[in-house]
Amino acid sequence: MFRALRSVGLFLVALAVFGQANAADWQEGTHYKKLDTPVRTDTDSGIEVAEVFWYGCPHCYNFKPLAESWEAKAPDDVNYVRIPAALGRSWVPHAQAFYALEAMNSLDKVHDALFEALAGQRRPLNDGESLANFVAGHGVDREEFLNNFNSFGVNARMQQAQSKIRGARITGTPTMLVNGKYTVSASMAGSLEATLAVVDYLVEKERSAAK
């Protein structure tokens, strides 16, 4: 808890600094990438901001409270979504778990706990059975979870998500994908906090372009 609060505190301080930055401070090819071919978005209106993450990623774990703070204050025309990446074979079950829980309307029950268990505690939850046992301890029906985990619908969602990630040429997490056109990561922006400042800039860029 202290770690999360400290991260949010640092984020707010950083935003105060980054908020003073001019548009010229954020350069295409240096602080963010523009995709040669945009990828589809899942919204018909507004601006999609997608957080590409992995439950086992320590950087995603540190980014989580910052991203949640940003999401809570996002303008009404922003559609914030999360996309679980499956960039390695061991990541696949965790992405499946995300979509299984989403299909059950149970993601809110376990999302934080999965981050803590996988990134924070490095627990070996690497298959459907171990994940089912884990979510059952957080009030999710075990058998229903496994049915969804192995379902055609979840597999279809997985394939769509990974196709989008591949199309955006995302190779690491956390990465922000803005309106299917731009990618931003801490390695480009300079820090996790700066990542969201660049996202702010790109959201405004997209908003202005739509006028």
Side-chain angles (χ1 to χ4, degrees):
M1 177 62 74
F2 174 77
R3 184 177 182 179
L5 290 173
R6 181 175 180 273
S7 296
V8 172
L10 290 173
F11 171 55
L12 294 176
V13 171
L15 275 190
V17 175
F18 290 127
Q20 300 171 9
N22 298 317
D25 291 320
W26 309 121
Q27 299 294 326
E28 180 183 329
T30 300
H31 301 102
Y32 64 92
K33 293 179 182 178
K34 183 177 182 180
L35 302 181
D36 293 333
T37 303
V39 297
R40 65 171 181 81
T41 59
D42 295 322
T43 181
D44 295 326
S45 61
I47 300 165
E48 182 179 280
V49 173
E51 175 192 343
V52 181
F53 76 98
W54 171 42
Y55 279 121
C57 167
H59 301 297
C60 298
Y61 182 68
N62 292 331
F63 187 58
K64 182 176 180 289
L66 312 183
E68 289 175 345
S69 179
W70 190 93
E71 179 189 8
K73 299 173 183 177
D76 291 339
D77 63 344
V78 168
N79 179 34
Y80 194 94
V81 299
R82 291 177 175 82
I83 304 176
L87 299 178
R89 183 176 298 179
S90 64
W91 299 24
V92 172
H94 307 145
Q96 283 179 259
F98 176 92
Y99 285 118
L101 291 164
E102 186 178 70
M104 298 170 65
N105 294 317
S106 297
L107 189 59
D108 288 347
K109 292 182 181 179
V110 200
H111 183 68
D112 291 351
L114 279 171
F115 255 120
E116 182 61 38
L118 289 163
Q121 301 172 9
R122 297 292 186 178
R123 293 180 60 178
L125 306 175
N126 297 320
D127 55 56
E129 290 292 330
S130 61
L131 285 162
N133 291 335
F134 179 79
V135 300
H138 291 80
V140 176
D141 184 271
R142 185 183 187 280
E143 294 307 315
E144 185 182 356
F145 171 81
L146 279 174
N147 287 338
N148 278 280
F149 184 88
N150 295 309
S151 70
F152 174 82
V154 163
N155 183 62
R157 291 296 308 278
M158 278 278 296
Q159 295 303 319
Q160 291 169 0
Q162 302 324 305
S163 176
K164 186 170 182 174
I165 289 170
R166 287 192 300 270
R169 299 185 180 279
I170 293 172
T171 58
T173 56
T175 297
M176 302 298 283
L177 175 60
V178 180
N179 225 24
K181 298 178 182 178
Y182 308 96
T183 58
V184 190
S185 65
S187 61
M188 294 195 73
S191 69
L192 293 174
E193 293 82 5
T195 298
L196 292 167
V198 177
V199 169
D200 277 330
Y201 163 69
L202 293 171
V203 166
E204 182 54 42
K205 183 181 178 73
E206 284 297 283
R207 186 179 293 122
S208 297
K211 291 180 179 178

